[in-house]
Amino acid sequence: MKITFTFTDSPDLASLPKTEVYTTSLDIPDDAVHLIGCRERVLAVGELVGKFTQASLHITCTPLQLKNHPIKLVPPTENLAERLQFSSRSFFVVFTRGARRSLKRQLKIFTPGFETIPRYMLQQRGKRARERNSLSHNLWRIDSSWAKSDSEREYQTNLKHLIDQVLVLLNAEPMQHPNLVWTCSGFHPCWVDDRIIDRHNKQVKEYLAAERRKQKEAEKQAARAEKLRAQGKDPIAQSELPAHGAGRRPGARPGIFKGVQMRSQLEIRFAAQLEEKGYRWVYESEALGDGGYLVDFHLPDLNVWVEVKGRFEARDHYLLKEVAQLLKSERHERLLVYGQSRAWVVNPSGFREIAHDEFWKLINR
């Protein structure tokens, strides 16, 4: 049986892309489901985990019919250091079993709060680099005398309760030998998490690569337009350079609708629906935000912008939220995304998926 902990910067889990959702899990024996009050105990573990993180928290445990059960909901923070995507440290509690502690379980908590613990507990210990970089060498004992102030003693008490609840779950299976009892080896309140750093670096590389591809494509189109002008031709009238924006999306077939060159058949179908419903529209009229995002459709009479998407690219998750923030704060306008089989409302904090019927209802508001 597995307990999954989901950490996010926003309480609205359903609206967030996968890149902004961070999960950890704890494997416990299947026999734990037969414990009296197992569901309440798992929820208690979730509540205690919530005391050690600054992020929003949901838990999932399928055998107990818990799916993204809300534990802690906090509004998005303006402090970048407290956001998941900029945090490189995690809270660890390590459990071991066996005479040589050969079996190990780790409970990892993202974006931990460490204001109530002594500063020296954040420092790496050991004479050698290998020891200083080893989590197991830097664990602190639960019953050590580091808790001096009231806030530190409260921190220690919550930690002991968390460990006690987890140990009951881990030791739920019938004990075959005294050495097979799970125990807590220690904890670290704020350890540098290499996996988070690797994940962040990968996301940054993907974003920068997408921006480079976008810039390269724009330079190609500008060069083509300049070449056509040198030949005395109108670049807008040439099929090799679309009238509004350049480049062909992978798998998309460009075409012309009411004299306007569009990038895909999905955009043409969407424009045809706008015409059928009598909405005035403008295609790719303005680059918005610091990223210069060219939103596909502007409906000026409705104060709505619509991006038509066959599929999302890495940059879309970042730039569309930036555009949504700009439109909301400076123009009091809305941003939506229209896809093949579904749509999304774009907010500064994330994406909310909706059906096409609801999309058209929102357009009319």
Side-chain angles (χ1 to χ4, degrees), residues 3 5 26 28 35 41-42 44-52 91-96 105-109 121 139-144 146 154-172 181-189:
I3 305 174
F5 304 89
L26 179 67
I28 58 178
L35 290 173
R41 194 177 295 276
V42 169
V45 169
E47 293 290 344
L48 290 164
V49 168
K51 294 180 182 295
F52 295 98
F91 178 106
F92 283 91
V93 185
V94 179
F95 302 90
T96 55
R105 295 280 190 275
Q106 289 183 347
L107 175 58
K108 180 165 70 171
I109 302 173
M121 296 184 72
L139 292 175
W140 293 92
R141 293 180 60 85
I142 307 304
D143 56 356
S144 58
W146 53 268
E154 181 182 1
Y155 185 98
Q156 186 182 50
T157 299
N158 289 331
L159 180 57
K160 287 181 177 179
H161 288 165
L162 172 61
I163 292 170
D164 290 343
Q165 294 283 12
V166 173
L167 287 176
V168 170
L169 295 171
L170 288 176
N171 290 309
V181 175
W182 285 98
T183 60
C184 180
S185 296
F187 77 102
H188 197 286

Side-chain angles (χ1 to χ4, degrees), residues 56-72:
S56 292
L57 173 65
H58 297 73
I59 67 169
T60 296
C61 186
T62 303
L64 300 178
Q65 298 181 342
L66 295 172
K67 183 176 181 181
N68 293 328
H69 182 85
I71 296 293
K72 181 181 180 181

Side-chain angles (χ1 to χ4, degrees), residues 18 71 73 113 133 145 150 183 275 347:
K18 291 183 179 180
I71 296 293
L73 303 178
N133 295 327
S145 57
D150 291 341
T183 60
E275 284 289 320
N347 297 309

